[in-house]
Amino acid sequence: MISATGVGWKVGGAQILHDVSLTVGTGELLGIIGPNGAGKSSLVNILSGVTRPSSGRITVQDRDVTRSSATARARMGLARSFQTSALFDGLTAGENVRLAVQAAGPAPFSPFRAAGPASGRRVDDLLARVRMPGRGATLARDLSHGDRRKLELAMALASSPSTLLLDEPMAGVSAEDVDGLTEIIGEVRDSGVAVAMVEHHMHVVLGLADRVAVLHHGELLAVGAPAEVTSDERVQQAYLGEAL
Ligand SMILES: Nc1ncnc2c1ncn2[C@@H]1O[C@H](COP(=O)(O)OP(=O)(O)OP(=O)(O)O)[C@@H](O)[C@H]1O
Ligand SMILES: [Mg+2]
């Protein structure tokens, strides 16, 4: 569904990514791990079109999108979440999701257009899908951190994406919410979505991912099944035996 081939990114004289190649297929979850500053978020930005790579190419469903905007890629079925929360705090959970549903709809986007009953049902479906039924009327700013991350997921799912890029969807959430988010993201993958997920919770990545890619100093150290990757000597050295 999405692939990077020989991607490099140089900014301000520093080479942040070197020759990164990876693919994520339909119904597959690729975990992207690596120490702080390894280039994980930079890679997600390049895959989603927020940043242009200095070299290499990106394809979405075999179409070259290297020069396409993030908006164009979103129309091709790509959705993403950000490492830090991106919600409208003064709106309710339901209103946040409704904006995402409307933005994903065929009509030109207008937040002032009245929401039809179909969009209301879609909002309810999305909130149920992230285990937040009945939270629709709660202001986003009053939600727990875990619920905020679930809400972001609901918003990313509003466009019915075929590819979903998640940058640390579980950062800073409670153990209970980690379990909930793990289940939800697993269900998204099982529904046939190609998922690439950056995550520091190692037990989650190793348990959930079909394949794991390890970035270190902007280079891909290893890609493979979780057990293969964790037994790789170079990977163990990169982590100094810590997280693994
Ligand atoms: N716009 C930029 N300009 C200059 N340097 C950047 C820019 N964006 C990222 N970097 C640098 O690139 C490197 C990789 O950053 P990136 O955010 O991709 O890492 P990461 O693997 O996501 O780290 P973390 O686990 O902390 O989220 C870091 O050294 C960072 O300082
Ligand atoms: Mg990051």
Side-chain angles (χ1 to χ4, degrees), residues 146-171:
D147 276 349
R148 290 172 65 86
R149 307 258 45 173
K150 288 179 196 162
L151 184 57
E152 284 168 333
L153 207 48
M155 292 171 75
L157 292 171
S159 60
S160 304
S162 45
T163 305
L164 181 61
L165 308 175
L166 302 171
D167 194 357
E168 299 199 29
M170 303 171 195

Side-chain angles (χ1 to χ4, degrees), residues 36-37 39-42 83 167-168 198 200:
N36 289 117
K40 304 178 298 296
S41 294
S42 304
Q83 186 167 349
D167 194 357
E168 299 199 29
V198 174
H200 277 294

Side-chain angles (χ1 to χ4, degrees), residues 41 44-45 48 50 78-83 156 163-167:
S41 294
V44 169
N45 286 339
S48 61
V50 172
L78 196 72
R80 70 163 294 176
S81 72
F82 288 86
Q83 186 167 349
T163 305
L164 181 61
L165 308 175
L166 302 171
D167 194 357

Side-chain angles (χ1 to χ4, degrees), residues 114-140:
S119 118
R121 274 196 302 277
R122 179 96 181 107
V123 169
D124 291 344
D125 285 350
L126 286 160
L127 285 173
R129 202 164 166 195
V130 297
R131 317 273 200 281
M132 289 177 67
R135 309 295 329 253
T138 307
L139 282 179

